[in-house]
Amino acid sequence: VIGGDTRMSRGYSIMTRKGHKVTELTSRVTIASGGMQADVSTLHKLLKMRMEVFIEQHRKEMSLTSAAQMLSNTLYGRRFFPYYAFNVLAGLDSNDEGWVYGYDAVGSSERRRWACSGSAEPIIMPLLDNRLGKGNARGDANE
């Protein structure tokens, strides 16, 4: 499951309620990004274009691991003037297992079972760790 809100905000001001933060790159790979809307939009368009070129050249969709590496290379290539975008790439691998890749602005990534990004990360991540990872649940201290 991947999701994102449609609000574009700055501080406590909501600039629009019709922003787009989630883009389907292939039938098995989706990206969600937080950060500066212009950079997020540009990055998503660039990745979609590269996916289309890949399909034209190889006659198949790019795999999740290949898409993750492509995003990392794209972000790292702009490390001196980075996209101000913090990304979560999610999808199904070749074994139909769901994986999530969390990125920083310069392309460093980590493959995980769950991730989040954006202004609500400090609130949501402990909840995901507790509910999905069963961390900090009652009885853990005794085990």
Side-chain angles (χ1 to χ4, degrees):
V1 174
I2 188 167
D5 65 352
T6 58
R7 291 183 181 175
M8 184 175 64
S9 60
R10 189 172 111 204
Y12 293 107
S13 301
I14 297 172
M15 305 305 184
T16 183
R17 286 179 163 68
K18 297 177 184 175
H20 299 282
K21 298 177 184 176
V22 180
T23 301
E24 184 178 325
L25 298 176
T26 70
S27 62
R28 299 175 65 87
V29 179
T30 303
I31 187 171
S33 304
M36 189 173 105
Q37 185 62 31
D39 284 351
V40 167
S41 177
T42 300
L43 180 61
H44 286 202
K45 287 177 186 176
L46 175 66
L47 294 173
K48 281 291 278 184
M49 185 264 315
R50 288 185 177 171
M51 291 289 183
E52 291 172 10
V53 168
F54 184 89
I55 290 170
E56 287 295 318
Q57 290 177 346
H58 300 280
R59 301 286 184 236
K60 65 178 184 176
E61 288 186 336
M62 189 179 288
S63 69
L64 175 62
T65 53
S66 297
Q69 187 62 51
M70 180 188 67
L71 176 56
S72 184
N73 292 347
T74 300
L75 294 171
Y76 187 74
R78 293 276 308 251
R79 66 190 175 279
F80 297 117
F81 189 61
Y83 291 111
Y84 188 74
F86 300 92
N87 305 287
V88 174
L89 187 78
L92 299 173
D93 66 5
S94 57
N95 299 325
D96 288 334
E97 288 186 63
W99 288 98
V100 178
Y101 291 82
Y103 293 84
D104 66 4
V106 292
S108 178
S109 67
E110 180 182 10
R111 181 176 164 167
R112 300 181 268 191
R113 286 294 184 181
W114 59 87
C116 60
S117 182
S119 58
E121 182 176 357
I123 298 168
I124 296 172
M125 198 62 192
L127 179 69
L128 291 174
D129 288 340
N130 184 275
R131 295 289 93 196
L132 299 178
K134 303 300 182 198
N136 300 327
R138 289 183 186 247
D140 282 353
N142 299 329
E143 295 176 2

